[in-house]
Amino acid sequence: MHRAKSVRPLTGRTLALGALGGAIATLLALPLAWMLGALFMVLAVSLLGVTTAVDKRLHCLAIATLGVFIGQRVDAGELAQLAAWYPSVIAMLLYMALLLVGGGALFMRGGVAPLNALFCAFPGSMNTALVLAERAGGDVRWIAISHSMRLAVVVSSAALMAALLVDEVAMADDAGLLTVDLLWWLLAPASWWLGRRLRLPLAEFLGPLVVSALLTSLGVPLTLPSVCLLPTFLILGSSIGSRFSSTSLRRVVKVGRVGLLFALFAVALAAGVALLVAFITELGFVAVLLALLPGGVGEMAVIAVAVDVDPVYVVSHHVLRLLLLIALTPLMLRWVRARYGEAAPGS
């Protein structure tokens, strides 16, 4: 209870800083201004020594709202196209393997212990990597900083590249009133709770997405104006930026330099693989790029919706990758320990 009370004023201050960044980015006509502006503003003040934080429950609620929003755009018939997307699914598996091997080697060359290097090189889902690393005895400090660098670089790069390659960046043009107000506001937290009860991975995202998609398929109207997503953008951007709180610039330079190299490697490799897939198939480059980039399911889904890329396509690839990572982690841990021994993880 005490911790929750202490986070509340920090959350308010962090979101206020994020809103300032979003307003400045809007004036500068930057793409996805309320997410990127908030991200960069909160990141900058965090590195300057200002303590920032966003209540985890609020962050999860934003992800749940995003899941409901995307779910209402899911066409059940599109799920049958998964087999037709096999070229990018194969590319995603290859990309995941290259990131794990190449990233792990990069982190170890930078002085990171093998066990920590494995989780630092996880292609996506910072929260999952931290939970699994803590259970395995890893040093979550290294892993958190590395994944924060990855998130900041990948999300920013994805938004900017998508904006440059798409004629218009805007949310949906449905500016009508909410058709089912009460249902809408209850749906996000209720379906998040249901996802947790069903033990779904990424319950705060997949639970609302699945419930929203089912209701939409049954004909229940769930239309909301685009302006309702602004708080979601703001919370997501501020939350990513606040991950650098209480981290000195000197330490970020020292610890995060390898994470920065890994993030750049991940973006460059994703762009190359996406270009190859787009060249040999009819899949669009931006769509494949968003499906590959390890920027987090929610963040990549936001960008997909913003640039009018099918969110079902993007989300399905990220969810498959997450499930594979969770399933393969015990095998990867056994391999790392067999090869490098059971020594306690260092930096």
Side-chain angles (χ1 to χ4, degrees):
M1 181 66 69
H2 177 72
R3 184 179 182 277
K5 289 182 179 179
S6 65
V7 170
R8 288 172 188 166
L10 288 178
T11 297
R13 181 172 68 186
T14 302
L15 293 180
L17 289 167
L20 176 60
I24 294 173
T26 300
L27 292 176
L28 296 175
L30 294 181
L32 291 176
W34 286 95
M35 184 167 73
L36 293 184
L39 190 159
F40 288 131
M41 177 62 75
V42 176
L43 185 153
V45 299
S46 296
L47 293 182
L48 290 174
V50 177
T51 302
T52 57
V54 173
D55 193 307
K56 185 177 180 180
R57 293 167 298 181
L58 187 61
H59 175 76
C60 289
L61 184 59
I63 293 292
T65 302
L66 178 66
V68 173
F69 179 80
I70 293 174
Q72 72 179 30
R73 283 160 170 73
V74 171
D75 181 354
E78 290 183 342
L79 297 179
Q81 297 180 14
L82 280 172
W85 294 334
Y86 73 90
S88 58
V89 171
I90 294 174
M92 182 269 292
L93 296 175
L94 175 63
Y95 176 73
M96 183 176 77
L98 290 174
L99 276 191
L100 284 169
V101 175
L106 182 64
F107 281 108
M108 283 191 289
R109 285 179 61 88
V112 181
L115 181 65
N116 294 328
L118 169 65
F119 291 106
C120 285
F122 252 45
S125 188
M126 176 178 181
N127 292 329
T128 301
L130 289 174
V131 170
L132 293 174
E134 190 170 19
R135 290 178 181 174
D139 188 338
V140 296
R141 295 173 299 173
W142 261 99
I143 298 161
I145 292 176
S146 299
H147 279 271
S148 295
M149 296 295 293
R150 172 185 59 79
L151 272 174
V153 172
V154 170
V155 172
S156 304
S157 301
L160 292 174
M161 283 193 290
L164 290 174
L165 295 169
V166 176
D167 292 334
E168 182 178 356
V169 178
M171 298 312 299
D173 57 4
D174 50 343
L177 297 176
L178 287 177
T179 309
V180 190
D181 294 301
L182 182 60
L183 176 60
W184 170 262
W185 294 113
L186 292 178
L187 190 57
S191 51
W192 168 19
W193 174 84
L194 179 61
R196 291 183 62 184
R197 296 287 293 180
L198 296 176
R199 300 183 182 275
L200 293 178
L202 285 173
E204 69 274 18
F205 181 73
L206 291 183
L209 189 153
V210 171
V211 171
S212 177
L214 287 174
L215 289 175
T216 302
S217 300
L218 293 173
V220 178
L222 287 172
T223 303
L224 80 163
S226 302
V227 70
C228 289
L229 275 185
L230 290 183
T232 300
F233 278 100
L234 173 62
I235 293 168
L236 289 176
S238 299
S239 180
I240 295 173
S242 69
R243 297 183 193 277
F244 289 88
S245 183
S246 301
T247 302
S248 67
L249 181 59
R250 181 178 180 181
R251 181 173 181 181
V252 168
V253 172
K254 179 181 178 181
V255 177
R257 68 186 188 279
V258 186
L260 177 60
L261 289 174
F262 173 67
L264 295 174
F265 168 63
V267 172
L269 182 61
V273 174
L275 190 62
L276 177 62
V277 173
F279 179 75
I280 62 178
T281 70
E282 296 182 355
L283 295 170
F285 170 75
V286 173
V288 179
L289 180 69
L290 294 178
L292 294 179
L293 281 172
V297 182
E299 289 80 3
M300 293 299 101
V302 166
I303 298 172
V305 174
V307 297
D308 200 25
V309 166
D310 184 1
V312 177
Y313 173 81
V314 174
V315 169
S316 63
H317 285 69
H318 283 272
V319 171
L320 175 59
R321 180 166 61 200
L322 173 64
L323 294 175
L324 286 173
L325 283 171
I326 293 173
L328 293 174
T329 292
L331 295 176
M332 292 188 290
L333 282 174
R334 281 199 289 270
W335 183 86
V336 168
R337 285 168 171 155
R339 182 175 176 85
Y340 298 101
E342 296 284 347
S347 60

